[in-house]
Amino acid sequence: MKIFQNERIVLTLDAGGTNFVFSALKGGKPITPLITLPSNSTDLEKCLENIIEGFKRVKKLLLPEKAVAISFAFPGPAEYEKGIIISPPNFPSFKEGVALGPMLEDYFNLPTYINNDGDLFTYGEAIGGFLPEVNKGFKEFGIKKEFKNLIGITLGTGFGAGIVINQEICAGDNSAGGEIWLMRNLLEPKIIAEESVSVRGIQSYYKDYSEESFELSPKDIFQIAVGDKNGNRKAAIMAYDSVAKVAAEALANVMNIIDGGVVIGGGIAGSSKLLLPQILKHLNGKIENRKKDRFNRIVSQAFSFEEQKTKQAFYKTAMTKIKVPFSTREIEFVEDKRVPVGISRLGTNNATMLGAYAVALSKSGRVLEKKEKV
């Protein structure tokens, strides 16, 4: 893909509530050592000073080369198109709203693009990760089909999502697309899905099911569930099953609106051995109407791309021929609808950086074209 041969450089940032990690990308890959500074999320002045300082240090490392843009993900809510951050929970000092993008544009004289991390993660996987792998398989099996839509979810401290439609980020008219964390919780309908699909969700379920008073880390609970550590294994498995059910129900709602593949990232995605089978089981389950008629939970059957057998089965679709009325012609088509579901191919951080790089190249290119016309 052309983006991986591109010589333009983009400054980027991984913005966490504890630390900021800065780097520069060329050809979709980091070309400088990572620079880490504390985020100082409770002190606005120190926070903004460190953002500027981090980019200054990266710029210095690049000399004599120069960057064409700044592009990164930052927690919302936000008006991303204008670069305004509006009181994100992990950054209490931003409660009055901060014009972060315009600040960086004025300071560095570079176009600056800020997006939701779920959107950039999904975009990166759509460009250079999961989606290209899916489409490569179609070519290898001689199937004239191409997936252009991708739903990305991130499982970690919180429950995030991003949507790519026709190879473009779908951020929404209010920069509020992909807010899956606010979906209603299947197991506890009065609360949001994120309370279950998160680090705290796993911990909470394990404590409830095990009736233990002390709190274990998700890693400990995972090791107990797979038998690598002593503990209440039944409770650990039940905890992961509960997380998977809530995640799958929220995902099913999205999949029935956005018809595309699904890629999963985030820290908890490492527990896919436990989560993915249950997510797929729920997605491929049934739902009823008042007459007790049963329907598939999602329109298309979901196939795991983490097992060679199910991945191969996804491509081995039966082609059907149908006659055209009042004609001798026949049309060939795939009768069974199906979607691929898999774990991040690039890693969450790398996919997010690639997404940020691609956004910058696309948008800064349009800005340069406009200037040349003027």
Side-chain angles (χ1 to χ4, degrees):
M1 198 171 180
K2 288 182 179 179
I3 194 170
F4 298 107
Q5 285 78 49
N6 202 294
E7 291 296 307
R8 286 180 288 176
I9 297 172
V10 173
L11 307 181
T12 192
L13 158 66
D14 180 5
T18 304
N19 291 310
F20 290 139
V21 182
F22 301 85
S23 62
L25 278 73
K26 179 195 282 189
K29 296 180 180 179
I31 58 169
T32 62
L34 300 178
I35 293 173
T36 303
L37 295 174
S39 61
N40 293 313
S41 59
T42 59
D43 187 318
L44 182 59
E45 188 173 342
K46 288 182 180 178
C47 178
L48 297 180
E49 285 175 350
N50 273 3
I51 291 175
I52 290 172
E53 178 61 24
F55 283 127
K56 282 171 67 177
R57 292 188 190 182
V58 176
K59 279 191 71 179
K60 190 173 181 180
L61 289 173
L62 290 173
L63 292 174
E65 294 188 275
K66 294 182 180 180
V68 298
I70 295 172
S71 183
F72 59 96
F74 205 90
E79 179 60 60
Y80 286 116
E81 194 65 30
K82 293 185 176 180
I84 298 171
I85 309 301
I86 309 168
S87 192
N90 291 343
F91 287 82
S93 62
F94 281 55
K95 61 183 178 182
E96 302 299 326
V98 178
L100 182 58
M103 180 196 80
L104 293 171
E105 287 183 335
D106 290 350
Y107 192 93
F108 292 103
N109 194 29
L110 287 173
T112 299
Y113 309 105
I114 306 176
N115 285 274
N116 174 273
D117 57 347
D119 286 335
L120 293 182
F121 160 69
T122 309
Y123 196 34
E125 289 288 344
I127 293 168
F130 188 68
L131 215 52
E133 179 182 315
V134 172
N135 290 329
K136 182 182 176 185
F138 284 132
K139 289 183 179 179
E140 290 174 349
F141 279 85
I143 301 170
K144 293 179 180 179
K145 188 175 180 66
E146 181 184 7
F147 268 64
K148 297 178 181 178
N149 305 324
L150 185 65
I151 301 161
I153 60 171
T154 53
L155 315 177
T157 306
F159 184 25
I163 298 167
V164 168
I165 297 177
N166 290 328
Q167 297 286 9
E168 293 287 342
I169 291 174
C170 178
D173 291 327
N174 296 296
S175 295
E179 301 293 346
I180 198 170
W181 63 283
L182 273 172
M183 290 277 189
R184 193 172 295 278
N185 191 308
L186 174 67
L187 300 182
E188 301 173 78
K190 289 186 177 180
I191 66 173
I192 59 175
E194 187 175 77
E195 285 301 304
S196 293
V197 190
S198 57
V199 167
R200 63 185 180 276
I202 292 173
Q203 293 172 317
S204 177
Y205 282 128
Y206 181 75
K207 284 180 73 174
D208 288 346
Y209 296 143
S210 67
E211 298 183 343
E212 295 174 358
S213 57
F214 52 88
E215 196 168 85
L216 296 177
S217 71
K219 182 180 179 182
D220 289 331
I221 299 169
F222 174 77
Q223 290 177 330
I224 291 170
V226 297
D228 291 343
K229 192 170 186 175
N230 291 329
N232 190 326
R233 188 175 184 186
K234 182 180 178 182
I237 292 171
M238 287 173 65
Y240 273 96
D241 285 352
S242 296
V243 172
K245 286 176 183 176
V246 176
E249 177 62 15
L251 184 55
N253 290 326
V254 178
M255 292 172 74
N256 279 333
I257 302 297
I258 310 297
D259 178 22
V262 176
V263 63
I264 303 171
I268 301 177
S271 308
S272 60
K273 180 178 179 180
L274 294 174
L275 291 172
L276 193 56
Q278 290 301 319
I279 289 174
L280 287 160
K281 181 180 178 182
H282 187 88
L283 292 177
N284 291 326
K286 299 290 184 179
I287 195 168
E288 298 179 351
N289 63 11
R290 291 186 188 276
K291 296 178 181 178
K292 300 297 181 182
D293 297 324
R294 290 167 66 79
F295 304 91
N296 293 334
R297 181 61 190 87
I298 58 173
V299 174
S300 304
Q301 185 180 356
F303 284 77
S304 171
F305 259 48
E306 300 311 303
E307 298 174 23
Q308 196 61 27
K309 184 178 179 180
T310 52
K311 185 177 178 181
Q312 295 290 315
F314 170 82
Y315 292 111
K316 291 180 180 178
T317 57
M319 299 297 289
T320 303
K321 287 185 178 182
I322 189 169
K323 293 189 72 173
V324 178
F326 308 113
S327 172
T328 57
R329 282 200 307 140
E330 287 186 331
I331 302 292
E332 192 175 58
F333 72 105
V334 179
E335 188 172 14
D336 296 329
K337 299 179 187 295
R338 45 188 63 194
V339 289
V341 180
I343 305 303
S344 171
R345 293 319 196 235
L346 302 174
T348 308
N349 290 337
N350 289 336
T352 303
M353 285 195 294
L354 177 59
Y357 182 72
V359 165
L361 294 193
S362 174
K363 291 192 174 182
S364 61
R366 291 175 205 162
V367 169
L368 290 172
E369 285 176 13
K370 286 181 182 178
K371 286 182 178 178
E372 287 174 1
K373 287 179 182 178
V374 173

